[in-house]
Amino acid sequence: MQRLLAVLLFSTLGACGSPSPRPSPTPATKTVAAEEGRYVVLSPTGVFRIGPGHPIGMRANLAPKSASAAANMDAEYALFERKGEEDGAVVVETLADAPEGHMCTRPAQGLEPFALRLFVDPRDLAEVTRKRVEVAYADGTSVELAAGVVLHPTTASAKPGETAFRVMVDRLPIVVRLASDAHATSFEMATPFVVPESNDRLNGPLRLADRVFPLDEIQENVGLAGVAGATRKGVTRFAIHTSCAVYHGLATLVERESVGELFGVGGLGLTGSSQTWKVPAGARVLARGGHVLGSTRVAVIFHDRAEDDGTRGCFRHPLGGEPSEQQGSMRNYLEICFDQGAIQ
């Protein structure tokens, strides 16, 4: 009965805010202005190389179907620090961790123990919000986005001077239309949103961004907790806060409840192979031929030794999954070498 009541109320509420028929699709376009932000985000299908023209691209090995699915998951995108350009490539450095408070994208999986300088094709960089933005909708709702939120392409229409994107940072699909100065392929780090404590809770659908999200979709993606605002004619302004976005919606069914106990979830450790090799922190990381890529941030344990390169000992380090044989021009492991004296 509550769900039926909510649907009826929202049908009345949304009469003046329903989206107009979609005109012909307009594809999203990349920003053409010079990029000078400190951070960049590599798409799941992008690769990184040890040099601008190096023939072997290193990235997690993705089948076509999984690559398509990964492109819709912000967790599959990788955060790097931008260091300039060289021969048409963007120079990036790996990060040990995301800057404090930044949860919208994470450093490349498997590369956190290494301080490496790598190269990426600028076409492999994701479009992101270059600053904090707020987007308002005709139904009286709005969405705020932190800097560095991945912007996915969409066929939704946009006004001249704006580009439409789909946002999935909290797995909640929202269409935003941004002016050209609000998005780019790099960004400066901004202070993330603070998530306030609240006992307010949705108990029905949420009107947001010119559509109504069912209760189960909200619960599955961003959760039901939020901050209730003013109520008028049975409709309550309700804001759901995350570290990357604030969703200012309208709700007809809101309740206040006591804060429940939170339970942590433990993880399982993984056991390695019987033979291992250790390289200490501060050791030089080399490519075959002796090209210096960087150094180790911490001591690293290796399980898969590759063929040595002269006086250098080489290993295969997995990048999202177990190492596999090279397939074509892609491989899902980083082959790196060290001076023999550094290997224990």
Side-chain angles (χ1 to χ4, degrees), residues 52-77:
H54 194 274
I56 303 298
M58 296 169 292
R59 188 69 164 146
N61 198 12
L62 297 171
K65 288 186 177 180
S66 62
S68 177
N72 289 320
M73 300 175 59
D74 286 21
E76 297 294 335
Y77 288 72

Side-chain angles (χ1 to χ4, degrees), residues 188-249:
E188 292 292 336
M189 192 57 60
T191 304
F193 293 115
V194 176
V195 181
E197 294 184 3
S198 174
N199 296 348
D200 300 327
R201 179 183 175 91
L202 276 177
N203 197 28
L206 183 73
R207 172 164 283 284
L208 178 68
D210 291 333
R211 61 167 289 194
V212 175
F213 290 89
L215 186 65
D216 55 355
E217 186 173 353
I218 294 290
Q219 182 175 18
E220 181 181 359
N221 295 321
V222 295
L224 305 180
V227 179
T231 298
R232 182 182 180 188
K233 295 182 179 180
V235 178
T236 301
R237 293 197 171 276
F238 193 85
I240 298 177
H241 294 253
T242 73
S243 59
C244 299
V246 183
Y247 305 94
H248 299 277

Side-chain angles (χ1 to χ4, degrees), residues 65-142:
K65 288 186 177 180
S66 62
S68 177
N72 289 320
M73 300 175 59
D74 286 21
E76 297 294 335
Y77 288 72
L79 181 69
F80 290 87
E81 187 168 0
R82 181 184 181 278
K83 290 297 182 179
E85 295 183 5
E86 184 177 323
D87 295 336
V90 178
V91 185
V92 299
E93 289 187 357
T94 59
L95 296 165
D97 198 0
E100 184 178 358
H102 182 75
M103 303 290 290
C104 309
T105 41
R106 303 294 300 171
Q109 183 179 3
L111 293 183
E112 296 94 331
F114 308 100
L116 306 181
R117 175 164 289 208
L118 301 168
F119 298 81
V120 300
D121 190 310
R123 293 171 296 183
D124 287 340
L125 298 179
E127 200 78 3
V128 297
T129 49
R130 62 184 301 268
K131 58 184 180 180
R132 284 194 181 190
V133 297
E134 181 171 6
V135 180
Y137 300 89
D139 59 3
T141 66
S142 64

